[in-house]
Each structure stands twice: as C-alpha cells, then as structure tokens.
C-alpha cells in the first residue's frame, strides 16, 4: 500500500514536472524566445515577434482640449504605437491664421497625452506624397488616422486623399460637444466681447480643420458661470480616461489642486514637476461654483467635467478628485494618505501666500506644504490675452486693406 502511494505520488510529480516543462516551452515560444522546430525534429526556423502596428495622426492642436485627447485615445486603440505630427507655426499661419499657442507649447501638450508614444514636430498641414513616403519608410507607419469630419484644403481637395488612395487610411469618430472655435467663443463672452459675423468667420478659419464648428451663443448657464458648454459627461468616458490604478503600499502621494481651466502647457509642466516629487500624483479639481466665486461669474470657461478629462489625459496624473474642496483639510489629507501638498508660483490667485484665509493653512501647519517654481509663466489669463491680441491684429489688418482698397478703387 505504501509503495502504491509512493507510486501515485511519484506519478503525480512526473506529470506535474512534464506539464511545467511543457508550459515553460510554450511560454518561451509565445514570447518569441524559442525557435520553431527546436526539439521537434523539424528544420530550424527562428520565431519572429509580431511587428507592432504604428499609427499616425496629425493636427495643429492649438487650444488643445479633451476632444483632441479623445481623438488621440481612439487613434492609439487602432494600433500598438501612436505617432503624432504637430503642424508648424508657419503652416498654420499660411492656412488658418496665427495660432494662440506656439509650436513649443503645443509640443509640450501633445507629448503629455498618455496615449502618445512619439511626436513629430513641424509636420505639414497637408500630407504630401513626399511626406507620406517619409512616414511609411522612416517612421514605419502602417496607417494614417483622422476623424470622421471632412478635412478640406483651401483648394477644395481632401487633405487625406493620398492616404486613402494608398489604402493606409483609418477613421475615428469626432468628439461632439467641443471645438477650439467653440472654446474661443466662450472666451470672447468671458471678456464681455461679442463676436460679429466677421470675427466668427475669422475664428472659423483659424481653429476649424475642415468641418463646421458650433455657432457661438450668448446665453450663459446657471450658477456655475461656465458658458456655452455642449458637453454631456458619462461615466464611460471618465473610465476611458482614467488609469484605473491606485497608489501602491507606502507610496508617496503628492497632492496639487486648482481650476485647471483651459488646460495649457503651464499646467502640464507644473504637474510634471509635482509628479517627480513622489510616486503618485493626486490632482484636486475645484468645482464650477468655487472657481466662479473666486474668479468671477464668467469663470470657469470649461466646466468641471471638461476640465477633469483634460487633467486625466495627462500622463503625469494618476488620479483626480472631481470637485475638490477649496481648503485642504486634515480630513482630506488623512483620507487620501497625502504625503505632500504642493502649489506652483504662477497662479491666478495669490491666496496660497496669504497669512489669513490661506486654503493651505492645515498642510502648512503640518509641515507638508511646498511651493514649486513654475517652469512656464503661463496662466489661463495669458491664453485669453493672446486670443484678444490675435483678433485685434486681424481686425486692424482688415481695416487697413479695406481703406487701401477704397483709396485705390480696387
């Protein structure tokens, strides 16, 4: 009986060992580390790993918003690696008018999107045969991606005709409810300017990419102060943008909060600095009522959920608190196990420097508050001023040419 037991146990060990060896070989084979035919009496044929599918998407990415990020997310889902071309300032000026954000800021924004693997600066506005060949040969691109909105060049031709003809074109769905033109319209309302038909035409040319953008509306929403938002948030979209991972055991959790309105390169760079201080970056995003109460009834320009998606799309952010309290309390610090609270030097408000009514009084008293030098001197107000400057310049140039035409009789 004892022998039979030993035999049974021995057989079990033998079967287990054979299974383990077989599983190991299968694992190595699937990883591409075991040549096909090895040990099978077949000719030696090296196993080749599957070539990653590389997809390309381009754009101006001026006034970058969550719609752009969602497009990049969808593009990345069509391949294994996403390469993004950012159109040069010169090309944008020639085709649409001066951009609000210069190339180096737009590069910062695109590189920070967590679905982007590689960025090509100074991409052409229209894909030429020469550039397409460079994409296929030098960058090993398999497919060129664009949204389902038509992209028509000034001469009336399809900007992606060559890619379609080559059979290397794929299409994604455009994110409804937001466009750069719409956001600029909100800004104009924010600074109490009203766009006439000419300025609307100007904005349409400057920010649209071949599709009809939403009309500007003068109506404001209720209490929050955010204007003309057509965004309809869903839990599915938030999940799509989320990392879905919490902090690991003993992680140093960094907390930074703010409005993050008109998410720009200044925001990205301070988030990058904050993330470098610890292992997990938690970002608190103030609700519309809080921002409106602190900055005025016409703010924020983007509503809470729009701002949350823009922040969530940033590769340096691990998690967000949607509708974070203005004051960082002991309860917040304890609940989220916050190791350090930080704030940038460039901000719309100087409350973080005040002796009285400082929202960071608690973390300061605990010795866990730190002010970080902001890498870029850019704020939401900076972006609004650029918009106003561009529009005034265009209006001035239009008036000059109208007067010149009247004098010469042309």
């Amino acid at each position: 009986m004892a022998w039979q037991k030993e035999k049974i146990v021995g057989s079990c060990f033998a079967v287990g060992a054979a299974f383990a060896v077989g599983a190991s070989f299968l694992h190595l084979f699937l990883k591409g580390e075991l040549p096909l035919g090895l040990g099978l009496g077949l000719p030696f044929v090296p196993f080749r790993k599957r070539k990653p599918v590389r997809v390309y998407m381009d754009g101006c990415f001026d006034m970058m918003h969550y719609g752009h990020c969602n497009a990049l997310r969808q593009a990345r889902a069509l391949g294994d690696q996403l390469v993004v071309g950012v159109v040069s300032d010169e090309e944008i000026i020639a085709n649409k008018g001066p951009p609000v954000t210069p190339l180096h800021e737009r590069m910062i924004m695109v590189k920070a999107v967590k679905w982007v693997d590689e960025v090509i600066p100074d991409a052409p506005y229209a894909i030429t045969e020469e550039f397409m060949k460079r994409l296929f040969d030098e960058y090993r691109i398999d497919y060129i991606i664009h949204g389902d909105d038509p992209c028509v060049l000034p001469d009336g031709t399809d900007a992606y005709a060559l890619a379609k003809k080559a059979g290397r074109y794929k299409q994604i769905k455009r994110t409804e409810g937001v466009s750069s033109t719409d956001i600029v319209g909100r800004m104009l309302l924010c600074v109490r300017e009203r766009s006439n038909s000419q300025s609307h035409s100007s904005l349409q040319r400057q920010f649209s990419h071949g599709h009809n953008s939403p009309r500007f509306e003068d109506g404001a929403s209720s209490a929050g102060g955010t204007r003309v938002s057509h965004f309809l948030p869903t839990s599915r979209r938030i999940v799509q943008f989320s990392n879905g991972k919490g902090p690991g055991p003993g992680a140093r959790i960094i907390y930074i909060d703010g409005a993050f309105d008109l998410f720009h390169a200044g925001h990205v760079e301070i988030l990058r600095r904050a993330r470098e201080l610890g292992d997990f970056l938690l970002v608190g995003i103030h609700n519309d009522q809080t921002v409106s109460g602190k900055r005025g009834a016409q703010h924020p320009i983007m509503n809470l959920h729009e701002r949350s998606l823009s922040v969530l799309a940033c590769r340096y952010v691990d998690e967000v608190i949607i509708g974070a309290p203005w004051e960082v309390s002991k309860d917040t610090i304890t609940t989220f196990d916050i190791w350090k609270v930080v704030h940038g030097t460039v901000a719309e408000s100087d409350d973080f420097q005040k002796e009285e009514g400082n929202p960071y009084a608690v973390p300061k008293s605990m010795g866990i508050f730190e002010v970080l030098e902001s890498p870029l001197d850019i704020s939401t107000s900076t972006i609004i001023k650029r918009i106003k400057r561009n529009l005034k310049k265009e209006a001035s140039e239009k008036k000059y040419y109208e007067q010149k035409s009247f004098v010469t009789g042309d």
Side-chain angles (χ1 to χ4, degrees):
M1 180 67 83
W3 177 82
Q4 287 180 335
K5 287 183 180 179
E6 289 177 2
K7 184 177 180 181
I8 292 170
V9 171
S11 297
C12 289
F13 273 116
V15 171
F19 179 79
V21 171
S24 298
F25 268 76
L26 179 62
H27 176 68
L28 291 172
F29 178 76
L30 292 175
K31 286 180 67 180
E33 295 175 4
L34 184 68
L36 183 63
L38 183 62
L40 303 177
L42 299 174
F44 179 87
V45 180
F47 183 83
R48 293 182 180 180
K49 291 184 179 180
R50 182 179 70 85
K51 175 182 172 291
V53 176
R54 287 169 62 82
V55 296
Y56 172 82
M57 189 172 196
D58 61 10
C60 300
F61 302 105
D62 196 16
M63 299 291 302
M64 194 164 182
H65 49 72
Y66 67 90
H68 291 130
C69 297
N70 192 45
L72 295 173
R73 179 190 67 80
Q74 292 181 77
R76 179 62 171 76
L78 294 177
D80 302 306
Q81 297 169 358
L82 174 60
V83 180
V84 180
V86 183
V87 178
S88 69
D89 292 342
E90 293 74 22
E91 287 271 286
I92 296 176
I93 291 170
N95 288 277
K96 302 170 74 171
V100 175
T101 48
L103 179 63
H104 73 275
E105 290 180 22
R106 291 184 286 119
M107 288 288 290
I108 288 172
M109 295 297 293
V110 174
K111 284 180 179 178
V113 176
K114 59 188 176 185
W115 298 289
V116 174
D117 298 290
E118 191 177 333
V119 180
I120 302 174
D122 295 314
Y125 186 78
I127 295 181
T128 61
E129 198 159 340
E130 180 185 357
F131 185 70
M132 189 169 70
K133 187 178 186 304
R134 184 182 165 203
L135 287 177
F136 295 158
D137 297 344
E138 183 180 337
Y139 292 98
R140 307 184 311 284
I141 298 300
D142 295 292
Y143 297 101
I144 294 171
I145 317 294
H146 186 63
D148 57 9
D149 50 313
C151 184
V152 182
L153 297 173
D155 62 2
T157 59
D158 183 354
Y160 295 90
L162 290 173
K164 291 176 181 177
K165 186 178 179 181
R168 308 280 283 272
Y169 177 83
K170 286 192 176 184
Q171 194 165 275
I172 59 170
K173 184 173 176 56
R174 180 177 178 269
T175 304
E176 299 297 334
V178 65
S179 70
S180 298
T181 312
D182 170 58
I183 294 170
V184 173
R186 299 189 212 179
M187 288 186 198
L188 294 175
L189 295 173
C190 174
V191 294
R192 297 183 181 279
E193 292 182 13
R194 293 295 183 267
S195 56
N196 55 31
S197 59
Q198 173 58 33
S199 62
H200 177 278
S201 174
S202 154
L203 292 172
Q204 181 79 7
R205 182 176 69 257
Q206 186 169 342
F207 294 99
S208 66
H209 202 207
H211 55 76
N212 292 324
S213 298
R215 291 186 304 111
F216 296 160
E217 301 173 29
D218 290 337
S221 65
S222 57
T226 301
R227 295 180 156 241
V228 214
S229 173
H230 303 284
F231 176 63
L232 298 175
T234 63
S235 58
R236 181 169 174 267
R237 181 53 49 82
I238 292 173
V239 168
Q240 288 171 339
F241 274 54
S242 299
N243 286 345
K245 296 179 181 178
R252 297 169 300 166
I253 300 173
I254 308 297
Y255 180 74
I256 185 170
D257 62 359
F260 297 99
D261 199 13
L262 296 177
F263 198 64
H264 51 70
H267 291 138
V268 167
E269 287 296 273
I270 194 64
L271 291 174
R272 179 182 60 79
R273 284 287 309 277
R275 182 62 176 80
E276 290 171 349
L277 295 177
D279 309 304
F280 190 92
L281 182 59
L282 175 65
V283 181
I285 305 173
H286 301 145
N287 64 32
D288 297 346
Q289 288 74 22
T290 298
V291 178
S292 183
K294 295 295 179 181
R295 296 198 53 209
Q298 307 306 318
H299 294 274
I301 292 167
M302 309 292 283
N303 71 36
L304 175 60
H305 288 94
E306 291 176 310
R307 293 181 283 121
S308 297
L309 288 181
S310 291
V311 174
L312 277 171
C314 181
R315 67 173 69 249
Y316 308 118
V317 176
D318 295 291
E319 181 62 287
V320 302
I321 300 176
I322 302 175
W326 175 254
E327 294 184 359
V328 183
S329 64
K330 181 68 182 295
D331 184 52
T332 300
I333 293 169
T334 303
T335 300
F336 294 99
D337 195 22
I338 294 169
W339 181 67
K340 185 174 288 188
V341 177
V342 300
H343 196 287
T345 52
V346 175
E348 298 287 345
S349 167
D350 64 350
D351 286 359
F352 70 99
Q353 297 175 326
K354 293 180 178 178
E355 291 295 328
E356 297 292 329
N358 192 317
Y360 304 99
V362 171
K364 275 189 169 185
S365 68
M366 296 172 66
I368 61 170
F369 180 74
E370 182 177 342
V371 175
L372 302 179
E373 186 69 32
S374 297
L376 294 176
D377 187 11
I378 304 172
S379 66
T380 301
S381 296
T382 306
I383 304 298
I384 294 174
K385 287 175 183 176
R386 289 178 183 176
I387 287 287
K388 293 174 67 178
R389 180 194 64 204
N390 283 3
L391 291 178
K392 285 179 180 178
K393 181 180 179 182
E394 180 159 344
S396 176
E397 288 177 353
K398 179 178 179 292
K399 186 176 180 181
Y400 168 78
Y401 285 111
E402 283 178 346
Q403 290 175 340
K404 183 178 180 181
S405 177
F406 178 77
V407 171
T408 61
D410 293 338

